[in-house]
Amino acid sequence: MTAILGLNLNHPDASAALVLDGKVIAAVAEERFGKRIKHDPSFPQHAIQAVLSIGGISSKELDFIAVARDTTQNRAAKISYVLSHPLTGGKAALEHMRRSEVDLSISEMVAEACGQAPEMVKARVVNVEHHLSHIASSYYCSPFESVTAGFSYDGSGDFTSAMAARCEGTRIEILDRVHLPDSLGFFYTGCCQFIGFDEFGEEYKVMGLAPYGNDRFADIMRELVETPSDNWFKLARGYFGMHRGGEIGKMDERNRMEMLRLYTDKWDEKFGPPRQRGQELTQRDKDIARSCQVRFEDVALNCFRKLHDLVPSTQIAYAGGCALNGVMNARLLRDTPFRRAYMQPASSDDGLCVGAGLWTWHNVAGGRERFYMSHAYWGPAHSDDAMRRAAMSARTPMQELSLDAVPRAVASLLHAGLVVGWYQGRSEWGPRALGNRSILADPTRPDMKDVINAKIKRRESFRPFAPSILQPAVTTYFEQDVFSPFMMHVVKLRREWRERLPAITHVDGTGRLQSIERDTNPLYYELIHCFGQLSGIPIVLNTSFNENEPIVDTPEQAVNCFMRTGLDAICLGKYLLVKGEHEKLLADA
């Protein structure tokens, strides 16, 4: 047996994955454990413990530790940047040196996390470049084996912001890179920060706000990021800050990552003063979001068409933080020659650990067998006893059901208008709840979006909620026939259904759909099927099981969320609980 521990560490979204003989056995993000800090950048000791426990092996049995970072790469680009930017470049060099020093003791850190003496962990440490890990995380998890285009784009990693590759069989051939300071991710995050979303990982808010705006800043956006014929894209010099010093992943007193400002004072000349967090969103801010999203899509489409010229395939596998832009993902399938696209569910930096592990399997261990990630359930599961104890601790009306009876009972509560926490099986891998750690509701109720925002999620009113739909029904309700098991595509609903599905239809008529197959999650599929029988529509509103925190991990965390928020009910495995005022509905379920 070849055992590989994949890691993303000393970087936001720290994570760990276990790969045994080329198969992903477990993958989890550190944020779900310990201090439960969103995008936790600390050493992923709890994640390491979790994946090894799921795999039933100890750190002594590891053959390789694959780290999704290689500071030896792109040295020429780094030296060039330092020479042309002596002040900021020097600070950047110091930061890279600090991170390199950590690599020298990774095996010891893994040993310590597992309670082992350092000499007991004999695994070989393999460094895999950031964007190569991203592409590997998608291609090596895909069903594709013939020639496939590979792409990665985000803010930055190993001094690169994008990478293009040709993939076939077990080989990934790097064709080109985009080096810093040019970064499409920096462009998007700069816009995000300028309109007041200045915490790490809030870019999805720009995508949600964009439909409320008009593209009146199109000309300025074209100045900020260009698409020259001899390059993938280029940022306007003097408008973007980079490497202003400070440690990457440093936390403030609220346990939130400190963000370096990516826009400069020159933006004021174009847009006026930046919005401060907490201030009212003006039409100008909405228009900036719209123009940012439009320009991002135009530049990304240019990249994908250029990529197709290099790799003339109908298949593409891609990843990186920018790959979480679901509006762009749907356009790729509509407006480029690519007809089949694959992204694994953790396409941002949490997915790097899977990519580094699988790259090491194929390119260092010599493994030939491919792996296909057809579902997202790679995290921990908790025992029936643990769920029973948590359920009993709530001291609210409860029924123990047979597992076969669970879907219909929960569907009846949803149809009655209740908002239900749904906790089943192994947790999802990635940033989105996909039917095992979800909050569910009836999408046909006009007030449901406001109810969930006010009573449970307590988030901005402009952010949409997502629909989970049975895969055979996608073309009935949506204009685009997309298979999106990991909620990675934002697609327009057919006009005749938009008013009938107000809770999941965004202001522009779209929904970020999750298409459910029976084979990958039979219990969730049956729940939606039962709800469809009651309502006539096989769709439920699905949002993550949390309240301004990482998605719940343990049954106790799920029950605590149920008790402190306006959730009406919770289903923990076969244990169905309701708040006291809904006891009659429980009896009738």
Side-chain angles (χ1 to χ4, degrees):
M1 178 182 73
T2 300
I4 302 170
L5 176 68
L7 296 178
N8 175 40
L9 77 166
N10 195 33
H11 193 281
D13 294 311
S15 57
L18 180 64
V19 177
L20 298 181
D21 286 339
K23 295 180 173 63
V24 175
I25 302 300
V28 293
E30 183 68 12
E31 70 167 29
R32 303 289 182 96
F33 311 106
K35 296 180 181 179
R36 289 181 52 76
I37 299 168
K38 279 191 174 184
H39 306 291
D40 193 342
S42 59
F43 184 79
Q45 65 179 73
H46 301 93
I48 291 169
Q49 294 166 3
V51 298
L52 293 180
S53 174
I54 292 169
I57 71 169
S58 75
S59 56
K60 295 185 294 185
E61 299 172 83
L62 293 171
D63 298 290
F64 300 95
I65 299 172
V67 180
R69 184 176 70 250
D70 187 354
T71 56
T72 68
Q73 294 292 325
N74 308 305
R75 280 179 170 168
K78 294 174 187 175
I79 292 169
S80 175
Y81 182 81
V82 170
L83 292 175
S84 58
H85 303 80
L87 180 59
T88 57
K91 292 177 180 178
L94 289 173
E95 172 65 12
H96 282 286
M97 287 173 62
R98 182 188 68 82
R99 297 174 72 189
S100 297
E101 290 173 359
V102 175
D103 288 352
L104 300 178
S105 59
I106 284 175
S107 59
E108 288 88 348
M109 294 169 75
V110 170
E112 182 179 358
C114 300
Q116 296 281 359
E119 64 272 13
M120 300 302 292
V121 178
K122 297 178 168 44
R124 173 184 167 190
V125 176
V126 178
N127 291 93
V128 186
E129 188 177 352
H130 178 99
H131 284 277
L132 180 57
S133 295
H134 269 318
I135 293 174
S137 77
S138 191
Y139 174 66
Y140 287 142
C141 288
S142 78
F144 308 147
E145 294 201 43
S146 58
V147 174
T148 300
F151 196 68
S152 168
Y153 63 148
D154 62 12
S156 68
D158 286 330
F159 213 77
T160 297
S161 71
M163 178 181 286
R166 182 185 188 277
C167 311
E168 184 176 13
T170 62
R171 178 172 168 76
I172 298 175
E173 178 190 359
I174 299 172
L175 301 178
D176 204 359
R177 295 173 174 87
V178 179
H179 296 302
L180 298 183
D182 297 311
S183 167
L184 195 54
F186 281 178
F187 162 73
Y188 205 95
T189 300
C191 293
C192 181
Q193 292 177 341
F194 190 83
I195 57 176
F197 304 128
D198 57 356
E199 293 185 0
F200 187 89
E202 292 193 299
E203 288 81 4
Y204 60 89
K205 295 183 180 182
V206 174
M207 189 175 70
L209 184 63
Y212 292 90
N214 301 303
D215 186 19
R216 68 182 176 102
F217 295 111
D219 290 343
I220 297 174
M221 295 298 175
R222 281 192 291 269
E223 289 180 38
L224 293 179
V225 56
E226 302 173 352
T227 54
S229 59
D230 61 345
N231 207 335
W232 297 80
F233 47 80
K234 186 178 181 64
L235 296 187
R237 299 302 184 246
Y239 285 90
F240 295 89
M242 188 186 81
H243 290 129
R244 296 169 179 265
E247 293 185 11
I248 294 173
K250 186 178 179 181
M251 311 301 290
D252 64 17
E253 67 281 356
R254 298 177 300 160
N255 272 333
R256 297 184 181 182
M257 266 184 292
E258 294 183 358
M259 286 286 288
L260 305 179
R261 200 179 78 174
L262 289 176
Y263 64 88
T264 69
D265 293 340
K266 294 185 71 171
W267 284 49
D268 295 18
E269 303 167 10
K270 301 289 187 181
F271 303 109
R275 171 181 174 264
Q276 300 302 308
R277 193 175 193 88
Q279 288 181 345
E280 181 182 356
L281 281 165
T282 66
Q283 189 59 47
R284 182 209 67 162
D285 304 321
K286 298 172 185 177
D287 292 346
I288 290 174
R290 176 64 174 171
S291 294
C292 170
Q293 176 66 28
V294 169
R295 186 56 180 157
F296 172 83
E297 291 177 35
D298 288 345
V299 177
L301 282 172
N302 183 71
C303 289
F304 288 122
R305 289 166 181 153
K306 182 181 179 74
L307 176 66
H308 187 265
D309 290 340
L310 295 174
V311 188
S313 169
T314 58
Q315 300 174 162
I316 181 171
Y318 62 109
C322 292
L324 291 176
N325 194 297
V327 177
M328 178 57 232
N329 294 339
R331 280 201 69 185
L332 180 146
L333 292 173
R334 292 197 310 269
D335 299 338
T336 78
F338 295 113
R339 292 294 172 262
R340 300 178 68 202
Y342 183 87
M343 294 159 285
Q344 46 86 15
S347 287
S348 194
D349 287 345
D350 43 359
L352 290 166
C353 60
V354 166
L358 289 174
W359 189 91
T360 298
W361 162 249
H362 288 298
N363 296 276
V364 181
R368 304 298 301 170
E369 184 178 358
R370 287 285 304 274
F371 167 76
Y372 172 42
M373 185 176 284
S374 60
H375 64 80
Y377 311 111
W378 302 105
H382 293 268
S383 69
D384 181 76
D385 284 345
M387 287 188 280
R388 171 183 272 277
R389 288 194 301 270
M392 295 292 289
S393 72
R395 301 185 183 279
T396 65
M398 181 181 85
Q399 278 190 7
E400 180 180 349
L401 306 169
S402 69
L403 207 55
D404 289 343
V406 163
R408 183 158 294 278
V410 173
S412 70
L413 296 183
L414 295 174
H415 192 239
L418 272 61
V419 182
V420 182
W422 176 254
Y423 184 101
Q424 304 290 336
R426 295 180 67 175
S427 63
E428 299 94 335
W429 168 229
R432 292 167 179 160
L434 299 171
N436 276 5
R437 303 287 184 272
S438 293
I439 291 173
L440 307 177
D442 182 349
T444 69
R445 293 178 177 264
D447 64 340
M448 188 56 72
K449 177 181 172 183
D450 293 335
V451 166
I452 295 174
N453 268 331
K455 293 172 59 177
I456 302 161
K457 301 294 284 189
R458 298 181 175 92
R459 67 185 203 176
E460 296 90 351
S461 61
F462 62 81
R463 290 167 55 189
F465 289 109
S468 290
I469 178 172
L470 303 186
Q471 173 61 20
V474 168
T475 55
T476 299
Y477 298 91
F478 290 87
E479 293 182 358
Q480 196 171 346
D481 186 6
V482 173
F483 177 52
S484 190
F486 306 138
M487 207 179 285
M488 297 291 280
H489 300 84
V490 175
V491 181
K492 283 192 178 292
L493 284 94
R494 294 189 181 277
R495 290 189 178 276
E496 62 268 28
W497 292 105
R498 294 176 189 176
E499 289 189 5
R500 294 184 62 183
L501 292 164
I504 54 88
T505 301
H506 201 25
V507 66
D508 59 351
T510 64
R512 189 181 68 198
L513 70 88
Q514 178 198 8
S515 40
I516 308 297
E517 292 184 304
R518 185 181 292 275
D519 289 347
T520 55
N521 195 332
L523 195 68
Y524 192 41
Y525 188 99
E526 188 61 25
L527 164 63
I528 300 172
H529 174 71
C530 290
F531 180 79
Q533 290 181 321
L534 294 172
S535 68
I537 299 176
I539 300 174
V540 297
L541 181 155
N542 172 17
T543 187
S544 56
F545 200 153
N546 59 356
E547 179 209 9
N548 293 313
E549 60 178 334
I551 297 173
V552 298
D553 173 53
T554 67
E556 291 79 12
Q557 291 163 2
V559 168
N560 287 340
C561 187
F562 165 59
M563 295 303 294
R564 73 172 183 268
T565 67
L567 271 172
D568 300 306
I570 182 175
C571 186
L572 289 160
K574 60 185 180 181
Y575 304 102
L576 184 58
L577 294 76
V578 298
K579 300 280 177 65
E581 63 267 28
H582 303 302
E583 187 168 9
K584 185 178 185 304
L585 288 175
L586 178 65
D588 296 339

